[in-house]
Amino acid sequence: MNGLLKVMAHRAIGVVAVVSVFVLAAPVAAAETPAEQISSFRARHGEGKVVRDSTLDGIAMDQARAMAAKDNLSHDALGPFSRRVAPSKAGRAAENIAYGYDNFEKTLGQWIDSSEHRKNLLLHNASRVGIASARDPSGKRTYWAMVIAGDYEPKPGKGKTKGGRVIAGGPGEEPLVKREVVAPKRTASKCHVRLLSLCI
């Protein structure tokens, strides 16, 4: 009987060892990418997923680098957003910018907590996104830019066209471009520019 118990014990140890090796060899689930994080947020609010787009990534990277180089959070660091986003050929687009956090998850949380930034994240019919970050010359501050876009095919009878792109043409239609800024909270200061009820 002792011999039988020993054989069973050895078999049990062998099974545990095989299971352990299998568990260790199984791939660890990767963290969600920024596009997947945005898509998850959009899905919870009834909007479709977005995928990374190299053109939008380039637009976002140029913006993030320009803000970082100037150490200035501004949509106009490289000129008007409508001009910068034109190469994407999107019918509608929005831009969120921010600074302060080193990782995208916290930056996304900051945007989600702001009603105007949430609207941009939930841009209806958006299908593509570009995301980038860059550090200022001192390496202490990280600047983020996100460009989300959709409506790549003009809808018949909706709005007017300009250069092949649909632009807002009637009440209730969303504008071609929207943009929002988010920065760490600071003490109140005078407005230099007021844009769509935002004090910049």
Side-chain angles (χ1 to χ4, degrees):
M1 197 68 165
N2 260 348
L4 181 59
L5 287 175
K6 284 182 182 178
V7 168
M8 289 176 68
H10 284 299
R11 285 186 183 160
I13 290 170
V15 169
V16 169
V18 168
V19 170
S20 297
V21 169
F22 178 74
V23 169
L24 292 175
V28 176
E32 282 188 314
T33 66
E36 290 169 337
Q37 290 176 49
I38 293 170
S39 292
S40 294
F41 174 71
R42 288 173 57 80
R44 289 192 301 272
H45 296 279
E47 291 293 342
K49 74 174 190 170
V50 291
V51 295
R52 292 296 283 266
D53 178 87
S54 60
T55 300
L56 296 179
D57 275 342
I59 293 166
M61 180 54 77
D62 289 345
Q63 175 66 12
R65 285 179 177 159
M67 292 187 300
K70 296 175 181 182
D71 199 10
N72 182 24
L73 187 69
S74 169
H75 284 285
D76 297 320
L78 281 177
F81 178 61
S82 57
R83 188 188 77 215
R84 293 186 287 109
V85 78
S88 75
K89 301 192 184 333
R92 289 185 302 154
E95 176 180 66
N96 284 351
I97 59 175
Y99 73 82
Y101 290 117
D102 288 338
N103 68 62
F104 181 75
E105 187 174 359
K106 288 183 179 178
T107 300
L108 178 61
Q110 195 176 16
W111 287 333
I112 288 171
D113 289 341
S114 162
S115 63
E116 292 302 313
H117 296 95
R118 283 173 65 97
K119 287 179 190 175
N120 286 350
L121 289 166
L122 296 173
L123 183 69
H124 187 61
N125 287 339
S127 58
R128 303 180 197 176
V129 69
I131 303 149
S133 66
R135 288 190 174 271
D136 73 334
S138 72
K140 294 179 182 174
R141 185 176 290 171
T142 302
Y143 286 86
W144 290 89
M146 179 210 72
V147 180
I148 188 166
D151 288 350
Y152 285 87
E153 296 299 323
K155 292 179 177 64
K158 286 282 188 180
K160 302 172 186 174
T161 60
K162 180 176 183 179
R165 293 181 290 128
V166 175
I167 59 174
E173 289 187 38
E174 293 187 44
L176 170 66
V177 295
K178 299 190 297 183
R179 50 192 212 157
E180 295 301 329
V181 180
V182 68
K185 292 182 181 180
R186 293 184 270 188
T187 56
S189 64
K190 294 182 181 177
C191 291
H192 297 289
V193 176
R194 192 167 279 283
L195 175 69
L196 299 174
S197 77
L198 293 175
C199 179
I200 301 173

